[in-house]
Amino acid sequence: MFKVIEGGRGQAMHMVERSDEGGGPSRDDVRREAARRLSESGYHLSRMREFATGVPMLASLQYLSLQIDFAAESLSRLDPIPEDFRADGYWPAG
């Protein structure tokens, strides 16, 4: 038997809809910015090279990926998400 947890998925969907209605940045906007920053860091190329050659990627790139994911998660939980969420001050230096 399953039980619905109050404030779970329904509340999360409501928060996403509310940010879309207000015209402010959404969680998807933050995730896209995180993906852009990760892509520009060279992470994906290094990851593919690791799979192809077996040579581990730089630890600094792995750490940067974790930092970007953490920053994106933290920003996306703010209510409201800051309009200037793309500013470098919110993101780790790469």
Side-chain angles (χ1 to χ4, degrees):
M1 180 168 256
F2 295 101
K3 181 178 179 179
V4 174
I5 299 173
E6 292 299 321
R9 184 177 169 92
Q11 185 178 23
M13 293 302 291
H14 178 67
M15 289 177 68
V16 170
E17 290 168 4
R18 184 174 50 189
S19 73
D20 289 342
E21 291 170 2
S26 70
R27 290 178 180 203
D28 289 336
D29 294 333
V30 174
R31 292 307 311 169
R32 280 191 292 272
E33 177 65 14
R36 183 191 70 78
R37 287 176 177 269
L38 197 57
S39 180
E40 286 184 6
S41 73
Y43 174 83
H44 298 299
L45 181 61
S46 183
R47 187 80 167 150
M48 287 188 307
R49 188 177 297 130
E50 180 182 40
F51 283 129
T53 64
V55 177
M57 72 180 341
L58 295 173
S60 60
L61 278 178
Q62 290 177 336
Y63 186 61
L64 179 63
S65 171
L66 290 173
Q67 289 177 318
I68 289 174
D69 285 342
F70 180 79
E73 185 65 28
S74 298
L75 280 170
S76 67
R77 289 178 182 233
L78 294 176
D79 187 25
I81 296 172
E83 291 289 331
D84 66 340
F85 72 92
R86 290 182 180 92
D88 289 338
Y90 292 111
W91 300 93

